[in-house]
Amino acid sequence: MTELRVPKLNNNDTEYLLVEWLAEDGAGVVKGDPVVVLETSKAAEELMAEADGVLRRTAETGATCRPGDVIAHISDGSAPPPSATDPGAATDGTAAPPAADGSAPPPAADPGPIVTAPAQALIDEHGVDPARIRALGKKVIKRADVLALLETGTGDAQPLPPVQRAVAAAVTRSHQTIPAAFTAVKLDAGPAIARARALGKEARALIGLPELLVAAVASLHGQFPMCFAEPVGADPLAVRPSTAPNVGVTVDVGHGLYVPVLRDAGRLSVKEIAERLAAYRTKAAQGAFREDDLAGGNIVVTLHTDTAVLLAVPIVFPGQTCALSLCAPQHEFALDPAGNVVKRTTVTLGLAFDHRLVNGREAAMFLNAIRKAITP
């Protein structure tokens, strides 16, 4: 008999929601088959069968699970029990008796959606009409669903949605544990914007400064290893070097802040970077991220596209040493080498860094190397 245990899916959550079983109780499964979906604060993750056999569930849809919990067993066994969706099946394995007139028995009454305990607590606290809950048309009602209904409520204090709670946890840990410093440089972005436009036309892809920045950062992994290293311990006296530049990029399309990761970004062309970032924006809009999309980063690029933002100081994510910020292009007048007044486009490129591990000189050298790499 093989136990299906809940793995640790990320470092932010201590429990997950069992959203959906993909295999019926008593169904035959094959090793590698997806059998259940768990939801973290930021993503949905499928768990696979770890052996061939018959699935026997030990947790119901809507249950809260912690890492290490056993939610099913897979074993060799008899044929699966009657389907719970078959109205003609009885719990003892015999067919339900026909009606007195010989017709099929009436279908079982619809029990309505499964409401998780946190969702029910919110429903009770705010007196949400059960009809509004049923009108959502979902099999499982989660706390986030109730929060969405409350957005048009009376203005009472409301708990943060799961994605924002995860952001809050990361920000709190960063400020509590990382003595960060910050420095910034101004980049003459005109040549870089022209280069991005030419590359986009050639590759038939949407390429801009963010894509060039990711490529430039990844290309400097070998030259500035400390900027991609992982601190070891709460008060680190050592660091663990990274084997590849895994660059996280902030994505926020109005449904919460996500930081998906471009793994081994140094091996990607600018076109491939653009395609992956476009796919991540689509996932953010659909709420379709998996934990694998968000894990494994060793440096972050934060994007600030509002033209009124002149300077942005990012947090250094726990487990990393550096985070970059890219602000929107600004127009200004300057003197060219001949002393003539010219109009140019600039951007501010910032670097927050763990000052225990990275010194100001190295931070400035890293930023200037990025400037040169963006416009080779």
Side-chain angles (χ1 to χ4, degrees):
M1 178 181 295
T2 301
E3 294 178 335
L4 181 61
R5 290 183 177 270
V6 176
K8 183 177 181 181
L9 297 175
N10 61 38
N11 293 323
N12 296 325
D13 299 318
T14 58
E15 59 185 24
Y16 318 118
L17 179 68
L18 198 161
V19 176
E20 181 183 6
W21 281 103
L22 304 177
E24 295 293 333
D25 189 36
V29 295
V30 176
K31 183 178 180 180
D33 283 351
V35 294
V36 66
V37 179
L38 300 182
E39 184 180 74
T40 71
S41 60
K42 286 205 169 188
E45 192 76 11
E46 294 179 350
L47 300 189
M48 310 299 177
E50 298 180 359
D52 299 347
V54 177
L55 180 75
R56 302 293 181 184
R57 304 176 187 170
T58 59
E60 298 296 327
T61 300
T64 298
C65 310
R66 294 177 178 273
D69 286 355
V70 177
I71 57 175
H73 296 93
I74 300 174
S75 63
D76 293 333
S78 58
S83 170
T85 60
D86 180 2
T91 57
D92 61 359
T94 62
D101 60 0
S103 61
D110 181 7
I114 295 171
V115 181
T116 66
Q120 188 63 56
L122 265 183
I123 291 171
D124 295 340
E125 179 184 350
H126 293 273
V128 180
D129 186 346
R132 295 182 67 193
I133 299 299
R134 290 193 297 271
L136 292 174
K138 296 186 175 183
K139 294 180 180 179
V140 180
I141 302 299
K142 298 168 289 183
R143 196 172 189 223
D145 300 320
V146 182
L147 286 171
L149 287 178
L150 293 175
E151 287 182 355
T152 56
T154 60
D156 293 339
Q158 299 173 9
L160 294 174
V163 171
Q164 192 58 39
R165 290 203 305 272
V167 172
V171 171
T172 300
R173 285 182 58 205
S174 175
H175 284 295
Q176 288 178 342
T177 62
I178 300 174
F182 177 78
T183 191
V185 296
K186 182 183 287 187
L187 168 68
D188 183 355
I193 292 173
R195 178 183 173 223
R197 188 179 296 117
L199 287 173
K201 184 176 181 181
E202 178 184 342
R204 296 185 178 181
L206 186 60
I207 295 175
L209 289 178
E211 289 76 18
L212 294 185
L213 177 57
V214 170
V217 169
S219 71
L220 296 170
H221 173 260
Q223 189 175 344
F224 295 92
M226 192 63 73
C227 296
F228 299 83
E230 177 188 356
V232 177
D235 188 12
L237 297 177
V239 294
R240 183 177 295 112
S242 60
T243 58
N246 299 329
V247 184
V249 181
T250 57
V251 176
D252 189 344
V253 295
H255 302 293
L257 176 65
Y258 297 90
V259 189
V261 176
L262 295 164
R263 286 185 177 76
D264 204 356
R267 293 181 177 272
L268 302 176
S269 67
V270 177
K271 178 183 179 181
E272 289 171 325
I273 291 171
E275 291 172 343
R276 295 197 185 185
L277 288 180
Y280 282 151
R281 294 185 192 102
T282 300
K283 284 191 173 185
Q286 298 173 344
F289 278 116
R290 297 171 61 92
E291 280 298 329
D292 188 55
D293 297 324
L294 308 171
N298 48 42
I299 193 168
V300 168
V301 171
T302 66
L303 304 178
H304 307 271
T305 57
D306 191 313
T307 56
V309 177
L310 302 179
L311 185 68
V313 181
I315 67 163
V316 178
F317 278 66
Q320 301 179 13
T321 62
C322 289
L324 289 142
S325 62
L326 176 67
C327 294
Q330 304 289 331
H331 301 294
E332 67 179 25
F333 291 98
L335 296 177
D336 66 12
N340 300 312
V341 176
V342 295
K343 184 179 180 180
R344 68 175 185 174
T345 302
T346 65
V347 295
T348 301
L349 184 63
L351 180 71
F353 53 97
D354 186 333
H355 214 333
R356 298 170 299 182
L357 306 171
V358 177
N359 293 326
R361 178 176 180 274
E362 185 176 7
M365 290 174 63
F366 186 39
L367 285 174
N368 283 310
I370 292 172
R371 285 201 307 174
K372 294 177 181 177
I374 288 179
T375 55

